[in-house]
Amino acid sequence: MNAAIILLLLAPSAMFAQWLDYPTAGVPRAADGKPNLKAPAPRTSDGKPDFTGTWEPEKNKPCPPEGCDDIQTPWEFANIGWSVEGGLPFQPWALELKKARQARYSLDDPATQCLPVGIMKTHTAPLMKKVVQTPGLLLILSERNAMYRQIFTDGRPLSVDPQPSWNGYSTGKWEGETLVVQSNGFREDGWLDRGGTPATDALKMTERFRRVNFGRMEIDVTVDDPKAYTKPWTVHLVQTLALDTDLLDYICAENEKDRAHMNSK
Amino acid sequence: MNISRAHWFRTPLAALALSLALTASLANAQKLLTEEGGGQALVALQRMQSNSTAPTPHNADGTPDLSGLWGPDKNFMYDITSALKPGETLPLQEWALKASKGHMSNEDPNVRCRPSGIPRMTPYPWKIVQTPKLVVFLYEGGPHGYRQIFLDRKEHSKDLDPTYYGESIGHWEGQTLVVDTIGFNDIFWFDGAGHPHTEKLHIVEHIRRPNMGHLEVDVTIDDPGAYTKTFTVYGHMNQLLNTEIMEYICDENNVDLPHIVGKDSRK
């Protein structure tokens, strides 16, 4: 995957502008005044771990050479299955589809058309997200297109016959310290990464959110999509807390000049 | 497929119909509310409206709870002149008056799926999620975006990057949430009629929930770059019941844009 193309298609127009730098409230400090990101996770008034915060994916590529880019993407951004032993259990047609998508340099990625990227890519994209936790509803706000995702934690069941959507329908419940979120209602033409790993409308996704400590959130995502894969598979995604900053406007379709230059050669 | 309300008006067809209304007079726009087009979106929402006068819900700290699913105010869609106090006019500067008359529907940023800014609304539900330090508005329409209102700070940032929703800081004055916003870009229009503004725009909203089913939003607009004085437009919204935000991705299959042609009916 051509890194230059990734950068071209990702570069927000506001990349070099001023970052909002209002200090984050309630950050636990070490004796020397520095933020203590390993302090325990905060809790809500009803005793649950509080996921509220501004998060970005952990930079897991070593620098040098992989992780020294301007915009660091985690391995999972280009290839969600990079950590899965033996590779992803593709159905044969799904593997062929992924190869075809890569052969066209991911031109057909909905992200290239400024369309929504879906749950998995929102976790792995090098853009910030804000989690807002309330008793019956968890929100994930994403910088990209000022998009949001609702996760209902009010006990409602999954939809029985949902209308296909980019972000699906999510309902979550607590299992001890872990928020277990189930989602269904996805479209049939999903991309789980920049490299074109497919997902279909048969997808049932399970995310297990844990705030391990103040500065670290781990999300185990299980993909159960029998149309595209021969068995379910799980990836372990890590998010790190971003301090003293906030979400910026990134409106993908604004001043969009690249599409006219792209061809599949 | 089990869809709780008519799906077709989720399509850009509604945006097209809305846009056709934009160069029409206000009287024509009112007619559209009962005709095919963006007006049907509002009619459908009206069926789900609550008119409840039950008491305002409150949080443990005594502040009103504004959380809930809300409908739009049509006076914040077509022409904000209709949201002024009766008898008042928009105090446009000369250049701004000319610009608004020149604005054509096919240039409308909303038709290109840009965020609506403040106070403009789209004919779709929106949700308020209120926490003690942060209030979030979620919009079904526009680019299906959000707006943040920070309750934990007293001053604006310096040197803000111009954005569609600016930087909003809010505080409670009794039962009213007072929201102060600066840092706007000059791209969005105040309404379908094309009333412009500049980056000098400074908006103060007074938001009240007088009872369970109603929201009142007074929007005071201060833009010395486009208007000769400060003015206020008044919004009234109803809670929506037994429904939820649907995923509406304006950029998807937006086939109407090339079809917005025709003469300016105002000429």
Side-chain angles (χ1 to χ4, degrees), chain A residues 13-110:
Chain A
S13 55
M15 215 166 78
F16 302 103
Q18 173 259 346
W19 290 93
L20 305 171
D21 54 8
Y22 194 83
T24 305
V27 177
R29 306 262 159 194
D32 61 0
K34 292 213 172 58
N36 178 10
L37 296 176
K38 294 210 160 68
R43 294 189 172 267
T44 57
S45 56
D46 55 0
K48 300 277 183 267
D50 190 353
F51 295 107
T52 299
T54 303
W55 301 94
E56 53 194 354
E58 181 181 52
K59 298 175 167 63
N60 58 11
K61 287 184 186 168
C63 170
E66 307 281 355
C68 291
D69 292 332
D70 235 348
I71 304 178
Q72 285 200 42
T73 62
W75 290 112
E76 292 87 354
F77 172 74
N79 180 11
I80 188 65
W82 82 280
S83 65
V84 176
E85 282 238 19
L88 292 180
F90 291 101
Q91 299 277 8
W93 74 267
L95 183 55
E96 290 312 304
L97 175 60
K98 175 167 177 167
K99 289 183 187 162
R101 286 172 169 177
Q102 289 183 317
R104 282 170 56 80
Y105 294 109
S106 302
L107 249 185
D108 307 309
D109 186 344

Side-chain angles (χ1 to χ4, degrees), chain B residues 39-162:
Chain B
Q40 277 233 356
L42 291 181
V43 169
L45 289 183
Q46 273 160 15
R47 274 187 241 117
M48 286 171 283
Q49 252 169 225
S50 162
N51 283 303
S52 166
T53 54
T56 307
H58 283 84
N59 298 309
D61 62 2
T63 55
D65 187 1
L66 307 176
S67 296
L69 195 67
W70 299 97
D73 183 335
K74 65 179 191 294
N75 293 333
F76 281 1
M77 288 167 47
Y78 300 110
D79 190 339
I80 56 169
T81 308
S82 58
L84 292 165
K85 283 220 163 80
E88 289 185 0
T89 54
L90 277 186
L92 290 148
Q93 292 181 13
E94 192 60 47
W95 79 264
L97 179 62
K98 274 212 193 86
S100 68
K101 286 199 197 299
H103 279 153
M104 296 297 292
S105 303
N106 59 5
E107 301 160 352
D108 188 342
N110 268 32
V111 159
R112 284 170 173 69
C113 306
R114 301 291 190 266
S116 297
I118 308 173
R120 189 171 187 184
M121 312 199 85
T122 59
Y124 305 116
W126 58 290
K127 180 182 275 198
I128 297 182
V129 179
Q130 180 174 331
T131 77
K133 296 202 177 133
L134 178 69
V135 177
V136 178
F137 291 1
L138 307 177
Y139 302 105
E140 182 176 302
H144 205 68
Y146 60 80
R147 179 187 162 198
Q148 300 192 78
I149 300 173
F150 301 101
L151 302 188
D152 62 350
R153 57 195 75 174
K154 296 199 175 357
E155 281 181 358
H156 281 294
S157 301
K158 307 268 176 290
D159 192 24
L160 284 163
D161 217 14

Side-chain angles (χ1 to χ4, degrees), chain B:
Chain B
M1 183 143 334
N2 180 21
I3 307 172
S4 61
R5 54 178 181 272
H7 172 64
W8 71 268
F9 64 78
R10 288 284 167 287
T11 65
L13 180 62
L16 165 66
L18 208 58
S19 307
L20 290 175
L22 301 184
T23 52
S25 68
L26 185 60
N28 284 345
Q30 299 285 19
K31 203 155 74 94
L32 270 167
L33 286 177
T34 55
E35 288 176 354
E36 295 261 332
Q40 277 233 356
L42 291 181
V43 169
L45 289 183
Q46 273 160 15
R47 274 187 241 117
M48 286 171 283
Q49 252 169 225
S50 162
N51 283 303
S52 166
T53 54
T56 307
H58 283 84
N59 298 309
D61 62 2
T63 55
D65 187 1
L66 307 176
S67 296
L69 195 67
W70 299 97
D73 183 335
K74 65 179 191 294
N75 293 333
F76 281 1
M77 288 167 47
Y78 300 110
D79 190 339
I80 56 169
T81 308
S82 58
L84 292 165
K85 283 220 163 80
E88 289 185 0
T89 54
L90 277 186
L92 290 148
Q93 292 181 13
E94 192 60 47
W95 79 264
L97 179 62
K98 274 212 193 86
S100 68
K101 286 199 197 299
H103 279 153
M104 296 297 292
S105 303
N106 59 5
E107 301 160 352
D108 188 342
N110 268 32
V111 159
R112 284 170 173 69
C113 306
R114 301 291 190 266
S116 297
I118 308 173
R120 189 171 187 184
M121 312 199 85
T122 59
Y124 305 116
W126 58 290
K127 180 182 275 198
I128 297 182
V129 179
Q130 180 174 331
T131 77
K133 296 202 177 133
L134 178 69
V135 177
V136 178
F137 291 1
L138 307 177
Y139 302 105
E140 182 176 302
H144 205 68
Y146 60 80
R147 179 187 162 198
Q148 300 192 78
I149 300 173
F150 301 101
L151 302 188
D152 62 350
R153 57 195 75 174
K154 296 199 175 357
E155 281 181 358
H156 281 294
S157 301
K158 307 268 176 290
D159 192 24
L160 284 163
D161 217 14
T163 57
Y164 284 94
Y165 287 113
E167 180 191 64
S168 294
I169 60 179
H171 68 279
W172 290 98
E173 285 178 12
Q175 299 285 291
T176 302
L177 183 64
V178 182
V179 181
D180 191 300
T181 309
I182 58 168
F184 290 100
N185 65 33
D186 61 1
I187 301 175
F188 63 94
W189 296 354
F190 278 152
D191 50 26
H195 293 115
H197 66 279
T198 71
E199 288 182 4
K200 295 187 164 82
L201 178 63
H202 167 212
I203 288 188
V204 180
E205 294 155 282
H206 287 76
I207 307 177
R208 293 175 300 274
R209 188 176 188 172
N211 53 42
M212 179 66 81
H214 297 88
L215 198 72
E216 293 169 359
V217 184
D218 303 340
V219 184
T220 299
I221 293 174
D222 167 28
D223 184 356
Y227 296 87
T228 56
K229 58 182 175 127
T230 301
F231 63 97
T232 300
V233 288
Y234 300 87
H236 302 86
M237 295 105 185
N238 288 74
Q239 191 185 14
L240 299 177
L241 299 177
N242 305 324
T243 187
E244 184 47 71
I245 289 180
M246 291 175 76
E247 192 177 82
Y248 164 41
I249 306 301
C250 177
D251 263 317
E252 179 147 29
N253 201 31
N254 189 5
V255 296
D256 297 320
L257 199 46
H259 298 141
I260 303 176
V261 295
K263 295 194 303 222
D264 183 348
S265 61
R266 294 166 300 181
K267 293 210 166 78

